[in-house]
Amino acid sequence: MKLEEINSPSSAQTVKHDRAAAHSHITGLGLDPDTGMALVGDATASGGMVGQIEAREACGLIVDLVRSSKLAGRAILLAGAPGTGKTALALALSHELGSRVPFCPMVGSQVVSTEVKQTEIIMQHIRRSIGLRIRETKEVYEGEVMQLDVQETEDPLGGYGRTVSHVVLGLRTTKGTKTLRLDPTIHESLTSEKVTVGDVIYIESNSGSVKRLGRSDAYAAEFDLEAEDYVSLPKGEVHKRRQVVQDVTLHDLDVANASPTGTNKKDVLSLVQQLNKPKKTEITEKLRSEVNRVVNKYILEGVAELIPGVLFIDEVHMLDMECFTYLNKSLESTLSPILIMATNRGLTHIRCSDRGYSNHDDDSLLSPHGIPMDLLDRMLIIRTRSYNLQERLKIVSLRAKTEGIDDITTEALEALAELGDSSTSSLRFVIQLLTPAKIMAQCTEGRTQVTLSDIHTVQHLFLHAKTSA
């Protein structure tokens, strides 16, 4: 059989474009792995970060403390003017920690809800920030399917229908074969996985769940062209023990136990299989206490390992006195994550801190960053500073490459860097002008290069808040 590839004109011109988010260029803190000093110069080596030397090195110390599990129950505050990289520092910190450490971001306004209390929303995010690594040895049956016979019998309820009485399954490995008599409920799992003779599968003896690994490589030459994944014949005996490692959060266990389905309580991973679609409902404190008791039991037995993650709250000044009090109490718990907060406010009022419990700023208490002093005393504060002209030039150039603007003149970049001064506009406003300038150059004059004239044109079309007001 001869196959020829046909390229249509439409498919040849199709190019995949990834959407550029506000912090797509951030890949890490950009620190020297040996000394912990911030790297300056190449954007790749610095992880997409520009400037903020002291703040990046401070966040590097936070990463070391998190990895050594010596920062649980502590709080860090990122304070600085708008557009100085507070959220970028938090995202860079999450990249440094890796995917195995839970990182749960939220905004202060997310606690506002008509269905759930504010303290309940905060507690759910706290529980999402605490991971649990479960290591459990399970008994499984693994091999290539040699025989698959479904035995049927007459329906006991009468009628002309027939029901499955049992399933006879034959499995083969490199060391031998084994024939199993399976319960009719496992037949549904075999059907859903589309298991046929010649497939390599494994069945968990505790839960009866079936997983199809692929087609046996002995059938690789059966067809000239197909979309099957071929795997080799499993080694060892058919009946074996396998160590299963899975990462979950405490909130996952709370949701799983909120509506139990009668699974085996001795099987830790069976809790994960109970996960349903999250509903906007409150989980009782009694249920969480029971989950904590079981988690502590498995930690003492060595079955599970607790991984304190990071809860990042942006715009923390939007929280009120009730939320701050609850956060202060949560930090004293034995099961608490690392709390990182960010704010762009200086000396400001604490919401709902007056006697009448209202939002009038005239009656509220004044406090640094809009946070009560008893919570501020528990924090390590990291300050971010405004960018100078050279740093703004590097940021604008980096964002231009991220947004696919490779051809832009030096004069245009310098004009944008000067325009990004906080006294005239902001760095965020300047970055928003990059893509409109590119479209202006392409549509009006058919150019691919963005010049200084394009920057002046979009600058007059789109105004900054200080100019429009």
Side-chain angles (χ1 to χ4, degrees):
M1 178 172 31
K2 183 179 180 181
L3 299 178
E4 295 182 359
E5 185 178 357
I6 301 176
N7 294 325
S8 61
S10 59
S11 63
Q13 298 175 359
T14 302
V15 181
K16 181 181 179 181
H17 295 282
D18 293 331
R19 182 181 178 185
H23 300 96
S24 299
H25 59 285
I26 302 297
T27 58
L29 290 172
L31 302 177
D32 191 308
D34 299 327
T35 62
M37 305 296 289
L39 299 175
V40 181
D42 186 15
T44 304
S46 61
M49 299 293 297
V50 177
Q52 307 296 349
I53 304 298
E54 297 85 357
R56 287 159 57 189
E57 293 176 354
C59 288
L61 291 177
I62 299 300
V63 171
D64 294 336
L65 290 173
V66 171
R67 289 174 177 172
S68 59
S69 301
K70 294 183 179 180
L71 198 65
R74 306 290 182 89
I76 293 94
L77 177 65
L78 301 175
T84 53
K86 298 182 295 296
T87 307
L89 281 172
L91 293 176
L93 191 143
S94 69
H95 284 295
E96 294 287 343
L97 292 175
S99 58
R100 290 298 184 94
V101 178
F103 183 85
C104 181
M106 66 173 294
V107 186
S109 57
Q110 281 185 244
V111 300
V112 180
S113 174
T114 58
E115 302 175 355
V116 186
K117 293 187 298 185
Q118 300 181 83
T119 54
E120 172 65 19
I121 295 177
I122 292 178
M123 177 52 70
Q124 288 182 8
H125 283 81
I126 288 176
R127 304 281 284 187
R128 286 191 181 101
S129 306
I130 304 175
L132 191 69
R133 184 165 299 160
I134 303 171
R135 294 184 177 90
E136 190 175 14
T137 303
K138 285 195 169 187
E139 295 184 359
V140 299
Y141 293 90
E142 184 180 19
E144 177 190 342
V145 178
M146 301 297 296
Q147 178 185 2
L148 182 60
D149 295 333
V150 180
Q151 304 295 329
E152 296 181 347
T153 184
E154 294 182 0
D155 193 345
L157 300 178
Y160 298 98
R162 300 178 67 83
T163 59
V164 178
S165 61
H166 63 275
V167 179
V168 178
L169 182 67
L171 297 178
R172 179 175 71 95
T173 61
T174 56
K175 282 194 175 182
T177 60
K178 196 175 188 67
T179 303
L180 305 175
R181 181 186 173 96
L182 305 179
D183 189 79
T185 56
I186 303 181
H187 177 257
E188 299 178 1
S189 301
L190 293 172
T191 305
S192 62
E193 289 287 333
K194 299 180 181 180
V195 176
T196 59
V197 175
D199 293 342
V200 177
I201 66 171
Y202 79 85
I203 305 175
E204 297 180 4
S205 59
N206 290 338
S207 60
S209 61
V210 179
K211 178 66 176 178
R212 181 180 182 272
L213 303 177
R215 191 77 171 164
S216 176
D217 55 4
Y219 298 86
E222 187 177 4
F223 299 101
D224 293 333
L225 184 64
E226 60 178 335
E228 284 285 356
D229 293 331
Y230 292 98
V231 295
S232 59
L233 188 66
K235 299 179 181 179
E237 301 291 341
V238 175
H239 185 210
K240 63 185 70 174
R241 290 178 175 269
R242 169 182 290 187
Q243 187 178 32
V244 181
V245 180
Q246 188 163 351
D247 294 330
V248 295
T249 64
L250 294 185
H251 180 69
D252 295 335
L253 300 181
D254 295 340
V255 174
N257 286 272
S259 55
T261 55
T263 57
N264 185 8
K265 294 183 179 180
K266 296 181 181 179
D267 187 5
V268 185
L269 291 182
S270 63
L271 298 175
V272 183
Q273 299 173 358
Q274 301 178 29
L275 298 180
N276 299 322
K277 184 178 180 181
K279 300 178 181 178
K280 271 216 162 186
T281 182
E282 295 188 14
I283 300 172
T284 61
E285 192 66 28
K286 181 179 179 180
L287 175 62
R288 288 198 175 102
S289 300
E290 183 66 20
V291 170
N292 293 344
R293 186 185 65 82
V294 175
V295 166
N296 290 328
K297 175 185 175 183
Y298 283 115
I299 290 175
L300 293 176
E301 293 177 355
V303 177
E305 175 188 359
L306 192 69
I307 305 175
V310 176
L311 173 61
F312 174 61
I313 306 179
D314 204 358
E315 307 292 342
V316 71
H317 55 268
M318 295 298 296
L319 300 180
D320 58 13
M321 200 66 171
E322 179 185 2
C323 298
F324 286 126
T325 307
Y326 194 77
L327 282 174
N328 205 357
K329 170 184 172 295
S330 302
L331 289 175
E332 299 175 354
S333 173
T334 55
L335 297 177
S336 61
I338 297 93
L339 181 62
I340 299 179
M341 296 179 280
T343 180
N344 54 20
R345 301 297 175 90
L347 187 65
T348 185
H349 294 271
I350 305 175
R351 298 189 63 202
C352 301
S353 59
D354 62 307
R355 295 181 181 179
Y357 202 76
S358 63
N359 284 324
H360 298 292
D361 290 340
D362 297 336
D363 300 329
S364 301
L365 297 177
L366 275 174
S367 180
H369 311 295
I371 302 174
M373 287 302 301
D374 55 347
L375 183 57
L376 280 174
D377 291 339
R378 295 176 178 267
M379 294 184 179
L380 299 173
I381 302 178
I382 301 175
R383 182 183 176 185
T384 57
R385 304 182 182 275
S386 300
Y387 296 104
N388 56 34
L389 180 60
Q390 295 299 325
E391 291 172 346
R392 293 198 301 270
L393 182 60
K394 290 182 181 179
I395 293 174
V396 172
S397 177
L398 183 60
R399 284 301 305 177
K401 292 180 180 178
T402 304
E403 297 184 13
I405 307 174
D406 299 326
D407 194 1
I408 181 171
T409 62
T410 306
E411 293 80 7
L413 291 176
E414 292 176 352
L416 289 173
E418 293 177 0
L419 183 62
D421 190 6
S422 59
S423 60
T424 56
S425 62
S426 66
L427 187 60
R428 294 176 178 174
F429 169 72
V430 166
I431 292 175
Q432 299 298 325
L433 296 180
L434 286 171
T435 302
K438 177 184 177 181
I439 297 175
M440 180 67 65
Q442 291 176 347
C443 295
T444 57
E445 300 184 16
R447 292 181 284 104
T448 59
Q449 185 183 50
V450 179
T451 61
L452 182 60
S453 61
D454 300 322
I455 301 298
H456 290 323
T457 303
V458 296
Q459 181 183 352
H460 291 294
L461 291 176
F462 304 104
L463 304 180
H464 186 259
K466 294 181 180 179
T467 307
S468 63

